[in-house]
Amino acid sequence: MPSPRAHISALFTSNVLAGSLLAETALPPKIEIAIPPAKVSIIALGPKPIRRYKRPTQHTKDPRFQSQNTSSRSRQTILLGAPKYSTPPTQLFFKIHGNTNWQLMDVRFNNQGVLKKIPALKTIDFHSTIPMVEGQNPTIRLPAMEPSSNTLFFLTPAGELKSLWKNNPRVTAVPLTWSATGGTRILLINTSKQVVTISISQGKIFPLNPGQQKRVDLNSHAVEMNIKLIAKGANDTKISLQESILVRPSITKVYAFYSAAPMTNGGRTLACFRAIYQSPK
């Protein structure tokens, strides 16, 4: 019969072995992998409003003229603001799920904007004003973006005449990519309602239908060579775009065609947004 001391020693050894086994079979600590963000730029495309001016009279009560001399010789004409709904919102508000703070996203009007980081793999709602109640319909909703992706979102008006931007705009997503061979890439996007005829040097002529996107890679061996690009809308007699493209490595040139007002676009119903983006690599 074992002695009490031997029995205690055996129990101690058994407990140590059991503890070691449990330590070996314990689940490893959970490791959270950081997901790279996506980058987006929101750009509104549409007719430029007509410039409006006002000249004060002797009896005007407009505070903008109170500091001016009331003599007719000194009264100056001022530029008035654009009518309501004739231009898009200059910024949109969004909130990441689980965060109580609202963030701003700038919206450029017919001009290039910067690419801003947003969380990937998440659908995000954007509002023209901060909602007063939960569940309010967003101005636009961006789909979940892939990590490390770059995307341009073009907004075009859905309204008519004097209420162009009253309703939520149409959204066109354009993946921003670069040539795999390191040359110059051209991205052509038609957000207008008319066919655009595209002509590129060396006799390449093709139609760009409404809603269509097309990618053209210029030969990387033609670096420093000038390529001529011409575009014309089916409803216009004038050319909408004529540009010489200097082929350079690792850049993408974006040409987005949109509906315009002839009075503010040189008599043409088609206008073109242009931008250059350098490869992030």
Side-chain angles (χ1 to χ4, degrees):
M1 183 175 181
S3 64
R5 179 176 295 180
H7 180 68
I8 293 173
S9 177
L11 288 176
F12 177 80
T13 303
S14 177
N15 289 338
V16 170
L17 290 174
S20 299
L21 182 60
L22 288 174
E24 292 176 0
T25 58
L27 294 176
K30 186 177 181 181
I31 300 176
E32 293 187 2
I33 301 176
I35 300 175
K39 289 184 179 180
V40 303
S41 182
I42 300 178
I43 303 160
L45 303 177
K48 293 183 293 185
I50 298 174
R51 290 190 173 187
R52 302 180 306 151
Y53 298 89
K54 181 177 181 180
R55 186 171 183 176
T57 64
Q58 284 186 329
H59 305 289
T60 184
K61 296 182 179 180
D62 194 320
R64 290 172 291 182
F65 304 106
Q66 294 304 310
S67 61
Q68 296 188 22
N69 191 301
T70 56
S71 66
S72 59
R73 183 175 298 178
S74 64
R75 292 194 294 273
Q76 299 295 321
T77 300
I78 67 164
L79 176 65
L80 300 179
K84 190 176 183 180
Y85 303 129
S86 66
T87 58
T90 57
Q91 57 190 15
L92 294 173
F93 300 87
F94 69 102
K95 184 166 57 175
I96 306 303
H97 180 70
N99 194 330
T100 58
N101 297 324
W102 288 93
Q103 300 183 46
L104 283 176
M105 173 74 74
D106 289 332
V107 179
R108 300 305 301 270
F109 186 30
N110 298 335
N111 286 295
Q112 181 174 352
V114 299
L115 291 162
K116 183 170 181 175
K117 294 179 181 179
I118 62 170
L121 306 178
K122 294 182 178 181
T123 300
I124 301 180
D125 290 345
F126 288 81
H127 301 263
S128 56
T129 58
I130 296 179
M132 301 303 294
V133 295
E134 292 292 335
Q136 184 173 324
N137 290 333
T139 302
I140 63 171
R141 173 172 290 165
L142 299 191
M145 309 303 299
E146 290 295 324
S148 302
S149 62
N150 298 274
T151 309
L152 305 179
F153 288 94
F154 291 112
L155 312 183
T156 49
E160 300 292 338
L161 299 176
K162 296 182 179 181
S163 300
L164 286 174
W165 297 95
K166 182 177 181 179
N167 300 327
N168 290 344
R170 302 182 183 93
V171 182
T172 301
V174 179
L176 185 58
T177 56
W178 288 265
S179 172
T181 61
T184 295
R185 169 165 290 180
I186 298 176
L187 293 180
L188 302 165
I189 307 100
N190 186 6
T191 69
S192 76
K193 297 179 181 179
Q194 58 183 299
V195 177
V196 180
T197 300
I198 304 293
S199 174
I200 301 179
S201 293
Q202 301 173 351
K204 297 180 181 178
I205 301 177
F206 54 88
L208 192 68
N209 296 318
Q212 185 179 3
Q213 301 181 26
K214 190 173 181 63
R215 181 181 68 195
V216 178
D217 286 344
L218 302 179
N219 194 335
S220 59
H221 299 293
V223 173
E224 303 301 328
M225 180 183 294
N226 280 314
I227 304 295
K228 183 170 287 187
L229 173 65
I230 301 175
K232 177 183 172 298
N235 299 338
D236 293 333
T237 57
K238 297 181 180 180
I239 291 174
S240 299
L241 172 70
Q242 182 171 339
E243 181 171 286
S244 292
I245 301 175
L246 183 61
V247 180
R248 292 181 177 176
S250 303
I251 67 167
T252 289
K253 302 202 73 172
V254 178
Y255 298 89
F257 300 95
Y258 60 94
S259 298
M263 290 187 64
T264 57
N265 191 48
R268 296 178 292 267
T269 61
L270 185 75
C272 182
F273 161 88
R274 291 175 283 183
I276 301 176
Y277 295 91
Q278 184 73 37
S279 171
K281 298 180 180 179

